[in-house]
Structure formats: structure tokens, C-alpha cells
Amino acid sequence: MKLIIAMVQDEDSEATTQALTEHGQRVTRLATTGGFLRRGNTTLLIGVEDAQVDDVMGVLRQTCRRRTAFTTLVSETPMMLPASVVEVEVGGATVFVLDMEHFEQV
Ligand code: 2BA
């Protein structure tokens, strides 16, 4: 079995969860925060049989979009360097696929 950890944008989390559920997958949603943008995102925990990993990846590719975001970088020496706005491309999804050593529901 595999544990898929997928970080998705909040805007995509509902459609992604719904699509995964329709595909027969079980999902846990965690409210998380990105370290760079310090903005809310959603982390999905999905436990699957090895053969289902491709199906989950297909759903994530279909439902998670790339978006442009802006953030302000504040200089450590603000008297010398002004804050600057940087543009970053976020998503679709950041995905880790881990081997699951043991799965049990008690
Ligand atoms: P954030 O950390 O808020 O990052 C948002 C976006 O900012 C990233 O999009 C990337 O385009 C940019 N970014 C992040 N760190 C950067 C840096 N040091 N310098 C320049 N730009 C940077 P994504 O790569 O699509 O990541 C979206 C979210 O997925 C991240 O939100 C974070 O919550 C998670 N994530 C991404 N890579 C990760 C990793 N290796 N480990 C853990 N979480 C990760």
C-alpha cells in the first residue's frame, strides 16, 4: 500500500476531494499553511493500494490548477533595501507517495 500526501490549493480542495470520493478513494483533509506564502492550503492524506496510485494522480492532474500568486518579500535591512513584490506560480499539486509499512483500522 501507499500513502499519498498531496498539498493542493484551497480553491481546488473541494473538487479534488469530491472527484477522489467518486473514484472510490478515501481521503482525509487537513487545513495547512504554506511556509513561503504563509497562506492556507489543504493537505490530503490518501491511503491506496499500489495499483490505485495512477488513478489518484490522474484525478489530481485534472482538478488541481496552476495559479499565479504574489507575495511581498521584506528585506532584513529595510532601511537599505525596500520590500519587493514577487510573483510565483503555485500548483497544481505537490505530491509525496510513500510506502506504507502497515495499515490497520481497529
Ligand atoms: P508555499 O510554501 O506557500 O509555496 C507557494 C509557492 O511559492 C510554491 O508553489 C512555489 O512556487 C513558491 N515557493 C515556495 N518556496 C519558495 C522559495 N524558497 N523560493 C521561491 N519560491 C518559492 P508550489 O511549489 O506549487 O508549492 C505549493 C505548496 O506546497 C507550498 O506552499 C507548500 O505548502 C507545499 N510544498 C511545496 N513543496 C514542498 C516540499 N518540498 N515540502 C513540503 N511542502 C511543500
Side-chain angles (χ1 to χ4, degrees):
M1 286 191 83
K2 304 285 186 197
L3 174 62
I4 300 175
I5 302 174
M7 277 143 272
V8 308
Q9 294 170 77
D10 283 346
E11 296 91 321
D12 296 326
S13 68
E14 189 57 43
T16 303
T17 306
Q18 192 175 331
L20 287 168
T21 304
E22 284 167 6
H23 279 238
Q25 308 296 350
R26 296 184 180 191
V27 187
T28 295
R29 281 163 52 155
L30 305 174
T32 47
T33 303
F36 189 70
L37 294 179
R38 292 185 167 75
R39 196 176 285 180
N41 54 25
T42 302
T43 297
L44 304 176
L45 302 181
I46 312 151
V48 295
E49 298 293 342
D50 291 15
Q52 295 173 326
V53 171
D54 288 347
D55 182 55
V56 171
M57 290 305 300
V59 170
L60 294 172
R61 286 196 185 93
Q62 274 191 339
T63 55
C64 297
R65 297 207 220 114
R66 287 177 191 272
R67 294 185 181 84
T68 300
F70 296 89
T71 188
T72 304
L73 292 182
V74 179
S75 165
E76 286 177 13
T77 52
M79 302 296 276
M80 298 169 71
L81 293 171
S84 56
V85 175
V86 294
E87 179 181 325
V88 292
E89 192 175 85
V90 188
T94 299
V95 185
F96 301 99
V97 181
L98 286 68
D99 284 325
M100 203 190 305
E101 202 168 293
H102 182 74
F103 171 77
E104 187 174 343
Q105 288 181 301
V106 292

